[in-house]
Amino acid sequence: MAKQTSIITLNGKIGGISFYKTKDGYQAREKGGVSKSRIMTDPRYARTRENMQEFAENATAAKLLKDAIRPAIVKISDPKLHNRLSSQMMKVLKSDLVNTRGNRKVSEGDWNLISGMELNARSSLSSTVLVEITLLNTPSDWTVSLPPFNPMDFLVVPEGASHFRLFAVGASVDFTTSERSFVQVPTVDLPVSAVTDPIILTVSKASLSESNQVYVLGVEFVQMVNGQEYAINNGAHNAAVILLTEKV
């Protein structure tokens, strides 16, 4: 380890030398590390290879699920959703009791571990929609019901919003074939200034043929001006949550 003694301090890389600052001052070191070929063959790096394989498996699974629900969350998800989803999916993978370490699969894990996950870390559904929500799950349908309510009393309405809509989503994925399905049932755009009628959203499971299924409820706020719809603060106040998971 070399120390920089010049009055000129450097940060970054020059050639094969990395310059960086520590509590002991500016230091420099040569590029080093273990070669990829050694990591992939040396028995001493077996644990590293296991971690790499499971990381790749999890990354692929997380992307597949995110792609499956993307049409519903394009105006909702926070910038770190992929990282948060990957972290939660890794818990699913590590719950696999069938395969050995290094070969564990998301498809064999406890799928219920992602139930309750908020899809926008900036705005949770439970703190945005305050009205009582009734859920009914049957072999053929998933239904969300809300009684009539005054949006100004039972929604946390962002400044500038004139309308909102609720939506229910069903999505399914097959982690082996990478196939996916998606069903979305939205309300019409509802004014925030008027009491709603009863709201019933029913997702038919007939179109969700893949094994790992998620069911989502969400809310979006918009501003309507001369018939044109405008997002409110880039969707920061929109919210959605995975309310139910099933494995068939």
Side-chain angles (χ1 to χ4, degrees), residues 144-197:
V144 179
S145 302
L146 294 83
F149 65 93
N150 186 336
M152 299 306 294
D153 293 333
F154 289 94
L155 293 181
V156 179
V157 180
E159 184 177 355
S162 63
H163 291 71
F164 74 98
R165 58 178 166 262
L166 293 164
F167 61 86
V169 164
S172 62
V173 295
D174 187 315
F175 293 115
T176 301
T177 65
S178 296
E179 294 179 347
R180 62 182 191 262
S181 301
F182 175 84
V183 178
Q184 182 170 3
V185 182
T187 65
V188 297
D189 289 347
L190 301 169
V192 300
S193 57
V195 175
T196 71
D197 291 327

